Amino acid sequence: MANSCFHCLEPIPKGFVGSVTFEGNAQPVCCIGCQAVAETIISQGMSDYYTYRTESAGKVEELVPEQLKMLLSYDNEEIQEDFVEISGEHKEVLLSVEGISCAACAWLIEKQLLALGGIIRVDVNTSTHRAMIVWQDKHVKLSDIIKSLMEIGYKAYPFQADEEAAQKQAVAKAYIRRLGVAGLMTMQVMMFAFAMYFGMFSGMEEDFEQYFRWISLVLASPVILYSAMPFLTNAVKGLKAKQLNMDLPVSLAIFGAYGASTYATFMEVGEVYFESICMFTFLLLLGKYLEFRARLKASEFTANLQKLLPLTARKVDENNNEQHIAAKKLKLNELILVKAGETIPADGLVIKGHTTVDESMMTGEHLPVKKYQGHQVYAGTVNHDGVITLEINKIGQNTLLNQIIRLQHNALTKRPKLVEITDKVAQWFVACLLVFASITAIGWYPISPDKAFWVTISVLVATCPCALSLAIPTALTCAVASLTKKGILIKEAHVLETATKLTRVAFDKTGTLTEGRFSIKHIELLQTEYNEQQVLDFAAALERFSEHPIARAFAHITPTENLVQDVEVVAGSGIRGHWQGVNIALGKSHWFDNHASFAQATLFINNNAVADFYFNDKVKNNAETVVEQLQQAGLTCHMLTGDSSNAGKELSQQLALNSYQSACTPEIKQQAVEAWSKQGEIVAMVGDGINDSPVFNSAHLSVAMDTGADISKNTADVVLLNSDLNAILALQQVAKQTRRIVKQNLTISLLYNGSILPLAALGLIPPWIAVIGMSASSIIVIGNSLRLLKL
């Protein structure tokens, strides 16, 4: 195409003129980057890439000196500890490679790297977009390898999976090994079995038939003693713990049939069924593997969060000198520089510069968030367009990202009552299954001893309640993952169950129904001996120690001196301290009973009111819509606010709330929620998490707006990381859909077990169909649960 770039096939911008010579003809390119890459590929004798590629290459970005400098940091031994394996003189790294589109890309990458001195091996996986490289460090550096890839248009960086992901990869490899052994041996055993079934050995002496039985025993043994061993191991573990698990009937079927066939081979009596148990084991493992892959998809979000953290950081000293170090080596209070387009390596406060940050990995909100001096930023978020200097205030497990991961794991490991009930039902089901299988064997034995054995095995396998045990956990895992992507962090296991039963929602006002971004509207001086500036100084000096949203209204005021000492926060009232032997307090206007007004805050000196403060606080844009939709869904909406001014009444009328209470202390809020609970209401409390512990503990469901890096200390059941009231509606939607999915899963599993049990007992279900049925029911249940990830 004449108007398309020869390298990336994208349109050529007007005004740009550039070309490369390919097979004697000048070919147009769209930019200097594509021109440089194409010339490199052609000059190094790799022009076959353009002949055999099946898809377009990615557009090439030029490397700037800053990027080249960052590449050199990958040669640092400390930084390499996280992602490079050392074996003697060789080093091995797994790189994520952006821009791979087809097999021609893999060929091009391998040819480019092998041309470097010191490269031992290159393996490119076009499906995962990763490359495994083994090299000799004394001949070539890792930065040279990555730079070489960038020269031909592929951006590469070290791939670093977290421990959980690595563990799951190991489990997947173990499944494949066991599947491989089972599949290979099953084919061999089936070959002899079919030959004997169709009379190909008829006329041979019995010694030859016995010989083939022995061969079948030898070939089947690795399948049973290796591939099927996890089923037996799990069954024994369950018995030791005095529990009947799903692997018990399966183990009885596999090892019972193997034992009987082995006995028949040694004693030269009866029939052998090595081919059946080999195929049985292979199909069972295949079903388990597909089930494992489906569950893995449900948990991918959490594993991917950990990979958002960068490996390196740009540390800055007091002389503004930069040093690239491993991100894990960062310490509290150190300064780091983050440039445009880079991922922030640690939680910190912006102390220099301003920018916008993409926090969608936490909040689900893709609009960039403005950050100025004094603003908190979080590890794993992406700096968009500014250069900022940060002072680190959270590292390691204390970062918000790691808290999210830890709390999500905690929520998934706690067991809701419904899960405990289904687990108990499954155990009783297994017990009844064993009894029923015994009755089946006794009933069939007088009719046909040979058939009795296989009918019993079919009963054991076909009715194993695997789908029943997966019905709820898989749905909950998918729901939690879906909500986390939306910025809704579930901390307790009961949340999804409780959210569907709510009848009443109570809201805090400040920072919940309103923006919580206060500005001073008016100051009313109550005593003439203090002027407005002095009053502001006292208030600002106190509020420096407060986390209440009102404190932000004074953030722009710098006190002329350190006015107060011995500062104490009094929950539900305000904040107080001492200045030159004088008691100073800022809080509710009726704090000391000698003053009452509709002001949102009052300054007291020696318990006497000195000034009243009035603030502006904007109502959230979506508050009215959220309240209306909750009421349409049959819930009543109420407000419990500590604000004693008229603002609560005005907001209640504006949003058409069912009721409101103002001037509430935490204890009064708690009493209100407890009173509703006694009336049979199921209550959710939505607040900002500050001083709300008592009422959160009393509510059936507690929801905190964004509490930043202290979420693990919060007593709320749910944290809305984006502070968006629409998240409450999303939570209800996902909770209701989860309930529907759970009901569907339970119905599917119970209908399957109920229908296949009589068929298996009547001998109408052969063992191999029983395996397929059991695996299919489990996979259907998991597949149904995966629909929650699309919400």
Side-chain angles (χ1 to χ4, degrees):
M1 292 181 287
N3 295 324
S4 299
C5 175
F6 172 68
H7 178 73
C8 69
L9 302 184
E10 291 193 8
I12 298 175
K14 289 183 179 179
F16 181 83
V17 179
S19 64
V20 295
T21 302
F22 177 68
E23 295 181 348
N25 298 318
Q27 302 289 348
V29 290
C30 67
C31 63
I32 295 173
C34 286
Q35 185 177 28
V37 169
E39 287 175 348
T40 300
I41 292 172
I42 294 169
S43 65
Q44 294 186 9
M46 299 184 290
S47 55
D48 282 352
Y49 165 72
Y50 293 113
T51 304
Y52 297 110
R53 67 177 177 181
T54 57
E55 294 186 34
S56 65
K59 189 170 180 66
V60 178
E61 296 179 3
E62 280 190 276
L63 285 176
V64 296
E66 197 59 50
Q67 289 175 307
L68 294 173
K69 188 177 177 182
M70 179 66 82
L71 286 182
L72 294 175
S73 67
Y74 287 137
D75 296 334
N76 187 308
E77 295 289 340
E78 286 187 345
I79 293 173
Q80 287 188 1
E81 286 177 5
D82 286 340
F83 54 83
V84 172
E85 289 187 19
I86 300 175
S87 178
E89 295 182 353
H90 296 169
K91 288 187 174 182
E92 182 179 304
V93 68
L94 181 63
L95 296 179
S96 291
V97 185
E98 294 180 4
I100 293 178
S101 57
C102 62
C105 293
W107 173 84
L108 180 62
I109 289 169
E110 290 174 4
K111 198 166 182 64
Q112 171 78 349
L113 293 183
L114 290 172
L116 294 174
I119 301 293
I120 309 300
R121 194 177 90 241
V122 180
D123 295 319
V124 180
N125 188 321
T126 54
S127 59
T128 61
H129 292 194
R130 294 178 195 146
M132 178 68 75
I133 299 164
V134 180
W135 80 100
Q136 289 180 314
D137 200 53
K138 63 182 180 181
H139 294 300
V140 64
K141 298 296 181 185
L142 179 57
S143 60
D144 296 326
I145 295 171
I146 297 176
K147 183 182 175 183
S148 180
L149 288 175
M150 289 183 169
E151 286 175 352
I152 56 171
Y154 298 98
K155 184 179 178 182
Y157 46 88
F159 173 81
Q160 186 184 21
D162 61 354
E163 291 181 9
E164 183 187 9
Q167 184 181 9
K168 286 177 179 176
Q169 286 285 7
V171 172
K173 287 179 180 177
Y175 266 120
I176 291 171
R177 283 196 300 269
R178 294 182 192 278
L179 262 174
V181 170
L184 185 63
M185 295 304 176
T186 298
M187 286 189 290
Q188 304 303 316
V189 175
M190 291 294 289
M191 180 176 66
F192 291 109
F194 274 115
M196 287 190 285
Y197 288 156
F198 293 105
M200 294 181 69
F201 299 136
S202 59
M204 284 190 176
E205 297 180 10
E206 287 187 9
D207 289 344
F208 280 101
E209 185 177 343
Q210 188 64 23
Y211 171 70
F212 286 120
R213 283 190 175 194
W214 279 101
I215 292 177
S216 297
L217 171 61
V218 171
L219 292 172
S221 293
V223 178
I224 310 306
L225 302 179
Y226 173 67
S227 297
M229 192 53 67
F231 300 117
L232 181 63
T233 304
N234 291 335
V236 171
K237 285 179 181 176
L239 291 173
K240 286 182 178 178
K242 298 180 180 179
Q243 291 184 337
L244 301 177
N245 59 25
M246 311 302 153
D247 289 315
L248 182 58
V250 170
S251 299
L252 287 173
I254 293 174
F255 289 91
Y258 177 70
S261 297
T262 302
Y263 175 82
T265 301
F266 274 95
M267 303 305 294
E268 300 183 8
V269 294
E271 298 292 330
V272 295
Y273 304 96
F274 292 118
E275 75 290 345
S276 297
I277 52 179
C278 285
M279 183 173 66
F280 173 76
T281 302
F282 175 75
L283 292 172
L284 195 62
L285 277 172
L286 183 61
K288 288 285 184 183
Y289 176 67
L290 294 174
E291 176 190 311
F292 169 78
R293 295 291 299 177
R295 278 188 286 137
L296 195 61
K297 185 177 180 182
S299 61
E300 273 179 358
F301 178 73
T302 304
N304 290 338
L305 278 179
Q306 192 64 256
K307 297 166 194 172
L308 293 171
L309 293 174
L311 297 169
T312 62
R314 193 182 280 105
K315 182 181 171 184
V316 181
D317 61 21
E318 59 273 8
N319 297 321
N320 285 329
N321 295 320
E322 297 178 22
Q323 177 189 1
H324 288 281
I325 66 169
K328 68 176 185 177
K329 301 286 185 181
L330 290 172
K331 298 177 182 177
L332 288 175
N333 303 321
E334 286 185 338
L335 301 183
I336 56 173
L337 187 69
V338 184
K339 299 192 175 183
E342 294 180 350
T343 301
I344 296 170
D347 288 11
L349 292 173
V350 179
I351 63 169
K352 186 178 179 182
H354 59 86
T355 188
T356 56
V357 174
D358 179 2
E359 296 184 343
S360 58
M361 44 71 65
M362 293 188 312
T363 65
E365 176 57 62
H366 290 274
L367 291 175
V369 181
K370 293 181 179 179
K371 299 290 182 180
Y372 300 95
Q373 290 183 30
H375 281 193
Q376 178 77 44
V377 293
Y378 304 106
T381 58
V382 179
N383 181 24
H384 267 189
D385 50 20
V387 179
I388 51 175
T389 302
L390 309 179
E391 181 180 345
I392 296 170
N393 61 2
K394 299 287 182 182
I395 57 175
Q397 291 301 308
N398 293 320
T399 62
L400 178 60
L401 185 69
N402 281 321
Q403 287 186 41
I404 291 172
I405 293 169
R406 186 169 65 252
L407 292 173
Q408 190 189 44
H409 278 301
N410 289 344
L412 290 173
T413 51
K414 293 175 183 174
R415 299 165 65 78
K417 291 181 181 178
L418 195 56
V419 174
E420 293 179 356
I421 291 171
T422 53
D423 280 356
K424 288 180 180 178
V425 169
Q427 285 192 44
W428 280 103
F429 196 98
V430 170
C432 294
L433 169 61
L434 295 175
V435 172
F436 189 82
S438 301
I439 294 171
T440 303
I442 294 169
W444 270 95
Y445 191 79
I447 302 170
S448 172
D450 288 339
K451 197 170 183 181
F453 184 76
W454 291 106
V455 169
T456 304
I457 285 179
S458 295
V459 169
L460 285 170
V461 176
T463 55
C464 182
C466 294
L468 180 65
S469 66
L470 291 169
I472 298 174
T474 52
L476 293 180
T477 301
C478 293
V480 168
S482 178
L483 288 170
T484 306
K485 283 191 285 187
K486 298 175 186 290
I488 304 169
L489 183 60
I490 305 296
K491 293 174 58 183
E492 297 297 333
H494 70 85
V495 168
L496 292 167
E497 191 175 348
T498 307
T500 60
K501 302 176 182 177
L502 294 176
T503 60
R504 183 167 297 211
V505 181
F507 295 93
D508 185 24
K509 179 178 77 72
T510 304
T512 304
L513 293 172
T514 65
E515 295 284 356
R517 297 172 185 169
F518 286 96
S519 59
I520 299 172
K521 178 182 179 183
H522 172 62
I523 302 174
E524 184 178 337
L525 297 175
L526 304 176
Q527 294 188 23
T528 56
E529 58 185 292
Y530 298 100
N531 60 38
E532 188 170 295
Q533 187 57 50
Q534 289 175 310
V535 166
L536 283 171
D537 279 355
F538 283 129
L542 281 170
E543 292 293 8
R544 285 172 57 201
F545 300 92
S546 174
E547 294 182 356
H548 196 279
I550 281 180
R552 298 172 191 169
F554 300 93
H556 66 286
I557 302 169
T558 304
T560 53
E561 56 178 310
N562 188 13
L563 296 173
V564 292
Q565 297 175 332
D566 304 326
V567 176
E568 176 191 3
V569 176
V570 181
S573 295
I575 188 168
R576 64 189 176 190
H578 299 287
W579 170 67
Q580 297 181 2
V582 175
N583 295 324
I584 302 176
L586 181 69
K588 293 184 177 179
S589 60
H590 59 275
W591 189 353
F592 297 105
D593 296 328
N594 57 6
H595 173 71
S597 72
F598 290 114
Q600 286 150 294
T602 300
L603 179 69
F604 299 90
I605 295 181
N606 286 334
N607 298 354
N608 294 315
V610 171
D612 282 337
F613 292 89
Y614 297 85
F615 304 97
N616 287 319
D617 187 13
K618 183 183 176 184
V619 180
K620 288 188 174 178
N621 293 330
N622 52 16
E624 192 169 346
T625 305
V626 170
V627 169
E628 183 181 346
Q629 291 191 29
L630 287 172
Q631 290 172 335
Q632 288 176 355
L635 284 75
T636 57
C637 297
H638 310 263
M639 182 169 63
L640 301 174
T641 177
D643 190 349
S644 57
S645 69
N646 278 332
K649 180 180 179 181
E650 293 170 359
L651 181 59
S652 176
Q653 293 172 346
Q654 180 182 343
L655 300 180
L657 296 174
N658 297 87
S659 73
Y660 83 98
Q661 292 183 47
S662 58
C664 293
T665 63
E667 289 73 22
I668 292 175
K669 291 182 182 182
Q670 182 182 19
Q671 290 166 8
V673 170
E674 288 176 350
W676 289 331
S677 297
K678 288 178 182 177
Q679 296 169 13
E681 303 281 356
I682 308 297
V683 185
M685 180 68 202
V686 185
D688 59 8
I690 301 170
N691 297 329
D692 282 333
S693 294
V695 66
F696 276 0
N697 287 328
S698 296
H700 296 91
L701 181 67
S702 53
V703 182
M705 310 306 281
D706 178 16
T707 53
D710 292 323
I711 54 174
S712 62
K713 301 172 188 173
N714 199 287
T715 53
D717 301 322
V718 182
V719 178
L720 307 183
L721 295 174
N722 52 13
S723 296
D724 186 356
L725 286 173
N726 281 324
I728 298 171
L729 300 177
L731 173 61
Q732 273 222 309
Q733 179 199 1
V734 172
K736 289 178 180 178
Q737 182 65 6
T738 303
R739 182 176 62 181
R740 283 193 287 269
I741 294 287
V742 166
K743 287 182 178 179
Q744 291 167 5
N745 287 349
L746 291 173
T747 302
I748 290 168
S749 57
L750 291 174
L751 280 176
Y752 164 75
N753 284 108
S755 59
I756 204 166
L757 184 61
L759 295 176
L762 291 171
L764 302 176
I765 306 291
W768 64 274
I769 290 182
V771 177
I772 292 174
M774 186 194 71
S775 300
S777 64
S778 299
I779 294 169
I780 289 170
V781 162
I782 293 171
N784 191 40
S785 298
L786 288 174
R787 293 194 295 130
L788 288 166
L789 293 176
K790 298 178 182 179
L791 291 179

